[in-house]
Amino acid sequence: MTPRNSAAVGAPAVAPRAAPHPRGLLIMVGVAAVLVTALGLRAFASVVAPVFLAVVLSVTVQPLRRLPARRGLPTWVGAVLSLLAVYAIVVGLIVVLVISGAQLAALLEDYAPQFEAFLARVGETLSAAGVSAGQLDAVSAALDPGKLIGVVAGLLGGLAGILSSVAFLVLLLFFTVTDAGAFAANLARISPAGRRLADALVLFARGSRQYLAVATVFGAGVALCDVIALTVLDIRYAWLWGLLAFITNYIPNVGFLVGLLPPTLVALLDHDPGTALAVVIIYCALNIVLQSVVQPRVVGSTVGLSGTLSFLSLLVWSTILGGVGALLAIPATLFVKAVFVDVDPDRRWLTPLLSSAPSGAEGAPR
């Protein structure tokens, strides 16, 4: 027997390496799991949406809890301040939505004759230009004021539907806000086994507060500019359209279109097409400068979301959760990103691809 043969006989048998799962199969299973999860969330949207809204609001007012403790006051003072702040936010949203809904309904009723006369003039102009009767009917149906205002009412109606269950939301916010302090303390002392989830929740809370702060500052600036411009143009309900612009600023990318429709209609029917065009130009200019150029860059560098991802978040979460999903699109995406990307070393390479900030500008999550 040769040495090679003896070595072959005496060598231990090496077990064949198990073949990994095909990458295509893993992708298909992952996509299927995402679709099943989305369908489940949509089926329980009436519960998931208010719960997540309560969580986001509780996270927003959480810094108020720490202010009294820094001055030596009892901890319950911070809890009371947080409850008062979160209830003030809810009451403010309810008041704005109720007034906006009432004014939009009155808008349709008050301006119906003027809008019909405007459509008649448009029809005469198009008919003189050689447009057929069938095409005129299609244009009249597309310019139906009920449909135009319905776009605004539909997007705001989701939030109004959740806020209409005031008793449920009040109780839910009471428990989430009062338990937030103990939850944060327990989260800081969590065992190493749950450290990754704890880091993800901390990143979500911090990112949500940063995004809401940025959106609030930019929304207030845009609303103030809108009110000034509408007042100069003598547009009725200028302050109301400013509030509407402030709320719709939390809707990524297309929120300004929702706030643009009502004042444009008022300018068209109260004044003339030139004034309506001026309103559109002013809103578009503010949107291009602040909401489409400056704000997405600030949001991208602050919370790590690009403008494209923000727009896709709007489509996905408004489909799953309805109208309130449009307002909670960014916080919901931040939650998913924190849990599945930010704290996972194997997927952290995705972070620069999801953000509009330059590569290397984002530090590793702490």
Side-chain angles (χ1 to χ4, degrees):
M1 181 179 296
T2 62
R4 176 180 295 182
N5 293 337
S6 62
V9 172
V14 178
R17 185 177 180 181
H21 296 291
R23 182 178 297 273
L25 177 62
L26 294 177
I27 294 176
M28 292 177 62
V29 172
V31 172
V34 170
L35 291 177
V36 170
T37 303
L39 291 175
L41 291 175
R42 185 175 182 179
F44 295 95
S46 59
V47 176
V48 174
V51 169
F52 192 74
L53 176 62
V55 170
V56 172
L57 292 178
S58 301
V59 166
T60 302
V61 301
Q62 178 65 15
L64 292 176
R65 182 185 294 273
R66 296 190 289 265
L67 291 179
R70 295 173 182 174
R71 291 167 172 76
L73 298 176
T75 56
W76 63 266
V77 177
V80 171
L81 284 178
S82 300
L83 282 173
L84 292 177
V86 77
Y87 287 149
I89 294 174
V90 172
V91 170
L93 287 175
I94 291 176
V95 170
V96 172
L97 289 173
V98 168
I99 294 177
S100 299
Q103 292 292 351
L104 289 174
L107 184 68
L108 287 177
E109 183 177 355
D110 294 342
Y111 288 95
Q114 294 94 318
F115 200 86
E116 291 178 0
F118 170 75
L119 288 180
R121 292 195 300 269
V122 171
E124 292 175 359
T125 303
L126 294 178
S127 178
V131 179
S132 64
Q135 293 173 334
L136 290 177
D137 293 338
V139 171
S140 299
L143 294 178
D144 184 6
K147 293 182 179 180
L148 297 178
I149 300 298
V151 175
V152 181
L155 287 174
L156 298 181
L159 182 60
I162 292 178
L163 295 177
S164 62
S165 305
V166 177
F168 173 67
L169 192 60
V170 166
L171 289 176
L172 186 60
L173 286 171
F174 176 81
F175 289 114
T176 55
V177 172
T178 53
D179 289 341
F183 181 80
N186 294 333
L187 195 65
R189 297 190 299 266
I190 200 169
S191 64
R195 191 70 259 166
R196 181 176 292 183
L197 179 60
D199 291 340
L201 295 178
V202 171
L203 286 173
F204 160 69
R206 186 171 60 203
S208 296
R209 282 195 293 267
Q210 290 173 342
Y211 164 73
L212 291 174
V214 171
T216 301
V217 170
F218 277 92
V222 170
L224 179 60
C225 294
D226 289 341
V227 170
I228 294 174
L230 295 177
T231 302
V232 172
L233 294 174
D234 193 24
I235 306 300
R236 295 173 60 187
Y237 313 124
W239 63 271
L240 176 63
W241 310 136
L243 288 176
L244 186 61
F246 176 74
I247 293 178
T248 55
N249 185 69
Y250 294 99
I251 301 176
N253 303 104
V254 299
F256 93 100
L257 292 175
V258 180
L260 171 63
L261 290 175
T264 303
L265 284 176
V266 172
L268 180 64
L269 300 178
D270 269 351
H271 299 279
D272 49 53
T275 306
L277 181 61
V279 173
V280 173
I281 291 175
I282 292 172
Y283 269 69
C284 290
L286 291 174
N287 173 74
I288 293 174
V289 174
L290 293 178
Q291 294 176 303
S292 295
V293 177
V294 181
Q295 182 175 340
R297 291 183 178 274
V298 176
V299 171
S301 60
T302 303
V303 301
L305 292 181
S306 64
T308 302
L309 186 58
S310 300
F311 180 70
L312 294 177
S313 301
L314 169 66
L315 298 180
V316 171
W317 292 110
S318 60
T319 302
I320 295 175
L321 299 179
V324 71
L327 296 174
L328 298 178
I330 299 299
T333 303
L334 290 176
F335 178 78
V336 175
K337 179 174 176 285
V339 172
F340 293 102
V341 176
D342 291 337
V343 297
D344 192 338
D346 295 332
R347 298 185 180 92
R348 199 172 294 168
W349 58 270
L350 286 170
T351 301
L353 302 179
L354 302 178
S355 173
S356 59
S359 180
E362 297 180 10
R366 294 177 294 178

